[in-house]
Amino acid sequence: MPKVVFRDKKAVSIEVGQGTSILDAALEHGVPLYHTCGGNCSCSTCRVLVLKGAENLSAMDPAEAQILDSFDLRAPHRLGCQAQLLGGEVEVEIPLRSREPRPNKTPPVPKGA
Ligand code: FES
């Protein structure tokens, strides 16, 4: 069963089902992680730094790479809403922010669109 460790003020270690995104793992277990666009790969506020176990995450698709590039973010950044836990252990850090992100005015993509 995949495991994700959030390394912040205190470490939170969570076991999740295969294919769970880092964002969903965080939200389901009360770990605060911004997600202004609702997980639609358009805001980058769910960014995390992958400290260990990047090989245990899903491959980055072009849409995620484009968002990271547009915010000038490089490896080891990943988008929490896009990176899925496939197995083993992944250790991440949620970057500190001095301010909350601005609200996203883009409507969410309808399910099944
Ligand atoms: S929540 Fe917006 S890009 Fe992940």
Side-chain angles (χ1 to χ4, degrees), residues 23 34-46 67 79-82:
L23 175 63
Y34 291 123
H35 52 288
T36 305
C37 75
N40 288 310
C41 194
S42 64
C43 70
S44 90
T45 57
C46 63
I67 291 293
L79 295 180
C81 69
Q82 301 302 303

Side-chain angles (χ1 to χ4, degrees), residues 5-59:
V5 179
F6 292 95
R7 288 254 172 250
D8 292 308
K9 291 178 189 147
K10 62 177 187 172
V12 177
S13 181
I14 300 167
E15 285 192 354
V16 296
Q18 187 177 33
T20 302
S21 71
I22 291 173
L23 175 63
D24 285 343
L27 297 180
E28 287 168 13
H29 294 85
V31 175
L33 179 55
Y34 291 123
H35 52 288
T36 305
C37 75
N40 288 310
C41 194
S42 64
C43 70
S44 90
T45 57
C46 63
R47 68 187 69 157
V48 296
L49 291 161
V50 180
L51 305 177
K52 290 183 191 166
E55 68 278 6
N56 295 324
L57 292 171
S58 57

